[in-house]
Amino acid sequence: MDEQAKKTALRHITYGLYVIGTKIGEDDVNAFTGNWVTQVSFQPPLVAIGVKKGTTSCDGILESRVFSVNVLESGQKDLAFKFFKPLKRVGNKFEDVEFYTSTTGSPILRDALSWFECRVTDVVDRGDHTLIVGEVVDAGVHRDGKPLTLAETGLFYGG
Ligand SMILES: Cc1cc2nc3c(=O)[nH]c(=O)nc-3n(C[C@H](O)[C@H](O)[C@H](O)COP(=O)(O)O)c2cc1C
């Protein structure tokens, strides 16, 4: 295989950019910014995410079996950047970011455009990320708007 072609073609996959949250233990939460998110079924409504192994978020989702996906709005690059760093390095990432919880206890950002939350149905442990499938059990829309895309940020995560 042509390694460079593989990298370029995989980077041509178009993505959004989301803050993916989970519950940690009894009364804590964490979240990370990620783009590997896609719907994979209408009925039941299923969503798949790719989560880096060994991160607080990956371990947290596997333990709590729940996660939220916060859809950011075009222009909310700064909000996305608050959740790129590992919790283990920076401590609490929420600082001044307001959130609430609904059905699963996963964090829902007040400033997100919309959100949905899932209960984990399937886990595929292969490669350097874990493929986690969840059934959407609750959702909400905070306002009308255009979702943030990975392309808008000029960043890449893929290849
Ligand atoms: C542009 C970009 C996209 C990312 N997308 C993902 C992703 O889809 N899945 C993932 O596990 N990590 C992704 N990351 C890396 C996480 O944001 C990073 O590992 C984060 O520190 C994990 O947080 P935690 O250790 O607090 O759980 C991405 C990073 C960047 C810069």
Side-chain angles (χ1 to χ4, degrees):
M1 181 166 59
D2 177 337
E3 281 298 317
Q4 192 52 50
K6 180 210 67 176
K7 185 171 173 180
T8 303
L10 287 176
R11 285 185 170 196
H12 282 164
I13 299 174
T14 53
Y15 293 105
L17 195 60
Y18 311 91
V19 174
I20 300 166
T22 193
K23 215 178 136 182
I24 305 284
E26 273 310 295
D27 48 20
D28 206 0
V29 296
N30 188 41
F32 72 99
T33 303
N35 59 286
W36 289 354
V37 175
T38 187
Q39 181 166 2
V40 290
S41 164
F42 281 121
Q43 202 47 255
L46 299 177
V47 168
I49 58 175
V51 192
K52 192 174 173 183
K53 282 184 183 166
T55 57
T56 306
S57 299
C58 192
D59 294 345
I61 294 170
L62 294 178
E63 200 182 314
S64 68
R65 310 287 294 178
V66 295
F67 63 90
S68 57
V69 177
N70 292 274
V71 181
L72 301 183
E73 187 171 4
S74 173
Q76 286 187 314
K77 199 173 160 176
D78 290 353
L79 189 51
F81 270 74
K82 285 186 191 276
F83 293 92
F84 279 134
K85 296 209 179 87
L87 179 80
K88 284 172 192 152
R89 185 139 47 86
V90 295
N92 176 26
K93 286 188 251 187
F94 285 85
E95 294 174 329
D96 55 340
V97 179
E98 264 191 71
F99 70 93
Y100 61 97
T101 60
S102 183
T103 300
T104 70
S106 306
I108 298 163
L109 306 191
R110 282 217 187 275
D111 278 347
L113 187 58
S114 59
W115 58 275
F116 51 89
E117 56 183 333
C118 300
R119 286 195 199 286
V120 173
T121 59
D122 301 273
V123 174
V124 179
D125 182 359
R126 181 172 279 273
D128 51 18
H129 283 58
T130 299
L131 172 65
I132 299 175
V133 179
E135 179 168 350
V136 178
V137 293
D138 199 359
V141 177
H142 291 143
R143 60 186 178 278
D144 285 340
K146 212 170 78 158
L148 176 66
T149 63
L150 184 65
E152 180 182 323
T153 66
L155 299 169
F156 287 104
Y157 194 78

